Amino acid sequence: MTTTAPADRVAAADWPGVAAELDTHGCALTPPLLDPDACRAIAALYDEADLFRKTVDMARHRYGSGQYRYFGHELPRPVAELRAALYPRLLPVARDWAARLGRPAPWPDGLDEWLDRCRAAGQTRSSQILLRYEAGDWNALHRDLFGDLVFPLQVVIGLDVQGEDYTGGEFLLVEQRPRAQSRGTVTVLPQGHGLVFTTRDRPVRSARGWSAAPVRHGVSTVRSGLRRSLGLVFHNA
């Protein structure tokens, strides 16, 4: 049986459609970027402590309940391939959003060059994470901002099957609309699929043209089972 490489799966996605979904909802599901075997293999890496630079107990820091681990700079091959393949697909959206908001667009064409700029600015630590939630765990609404240099989009990939491996645990997105009540979006994260969403804020139309709508994300309470996911962030910590 042949398997499709993560980079080829990324290339095959409908990126104009993803961009349109991001404009409408602030998040967008991709087709499967990992097959089930690859999902299980990445999820199993959680027990290989030497791969990670830090483990965070969420309850201890009042981030919610659960645990996640930051990879070191030597990323496992499929994780590195996914991030490298996704960056150029998300870059046009990042630049378009910056233009609408009248902001600089400091992101170069290549991910390596962008990460070099992060390191030069003092953001030297890997920000790729594996997240692990058991029954009763949840993730408080937050934004993954680690310094002055921020890439405005990130991706989370589901590694387990909702309804089989766990229940609950929906992905939450809350957007603060200009001069209006906040809007919530709930997404079930299918195994292997990526959810692209905004890191900090996104442009929305207002009476004065374009305004920046702040966005936070989190995870609802896991009712049963084990929910694991891979978080891909395109700036260093």
Side-chain angles (χ1 to χ4, degrees):
M1 181 178 68
T2 60
T3 59
T4 304
D8 293 332
R9 289 174 178 263
V10 170
D14 175 14
W15 291 104
V18 168
E21 282 284 304
L22 285 166
D23 275 343
T24 303
H25 301 294
C27 61
L29 277 171
T30 73
L33 303 180
L34 295 170
D35 63 34
D37 287 342
C39 289
R40 287 188 285 269
I42 290 175
L45 296 176
Y46 201 89
D47 295 326
E48 298 184 28
D50 290 347
L51 292 174
F52 302 93
R53 67 171 178 84
K54 184 178 182 180
T55 300
V56 177
D57 185 312
M58 294 166 63
R60 178 181 176 186
H61 298 280
R62 295 196 167 190
Y63 296 162
S65 177
Q67 195 178 80
Y68 57 87
R69 286 182 159 175
Y70 287 102
F71 282 103
H73 280 295
E74 294 297 323
L75 297 174
R77 181 174 177 178
V79 177
E81 287 181 355
L82 277 171
R83 189 171 64 148
L86 285 164
Y87 176 83
R89 302 292 177 173
L90 301 177
L91 186 59
V93 178
R95 288 173 170 168
D96 178 49
W97 284 9
R100 295 190 213 178
L101 293 172
R103 293 175 175 173
W107 313 290
D109 291 342
L111 176 61
D112 288 343
E113 184 181 349
W114 168 240
L115 295 178
D116 285 342
R117 294 186 188 182
C118 289
R119 286 187 283 268
Q123 295 174 215
T124 60
R125 295 174 296 172
S126 170
S127 55
Q128 315 313 303
I129 58 177
L130 272 182
L131 303 105
R132 189 178 190 277
Y133 304 90
E134 296 180 345
D137 290 341
W138 55 284
N139 195 341
L141 294 172
H142 66 284
R143 292 185 287 182
D144 296 315
L145 305 176
F146 308 120
D148 292 334
L149 297 185
V150 176
F151 192 78
L153 296 158
Q154 61 193 85
V155 181
V156 62
I157 299 173
L159 302 178
D160 295 298
V161 180
Q162 197 205 45
E164 295 181 14
D165 300 314
Y166 69 95
T167 60
E170 295 86 0
F171 186 89
L172 307 175
L173 204 70
V174 176
E175 178 178 282
Q176 183 180 328
R177 309 284 287 179
R179 293 173 297 282
Q181 297 288 343
S182 296
R183 181 178 73 170
T185 300
V186 174
T187 304
V188 172
L189 193 58
Q191 185 184 47
H193 293 245
L195 182 70
V196 184
F197 62 99
T198 180
T199 302
R200 177 175 56 191
D201 54 23
R202 73 184 190 96
V204 296
R205 284 202 176 274
S206 68
R208 294 177 291 179
W210 293 100
S211 296
V215 178
R216 295 181 296 163
H217 66 276
V219 174
S220 71
T221 302
V222 174
R223 301 296 184 91
S224 65
L226 176 64
R227 179 196 189 276
R228 295 164 296 184
S229 58
L230 171 66
L232 300 175
V233 180
F234 299 91
H235 48 269
N236 283 343

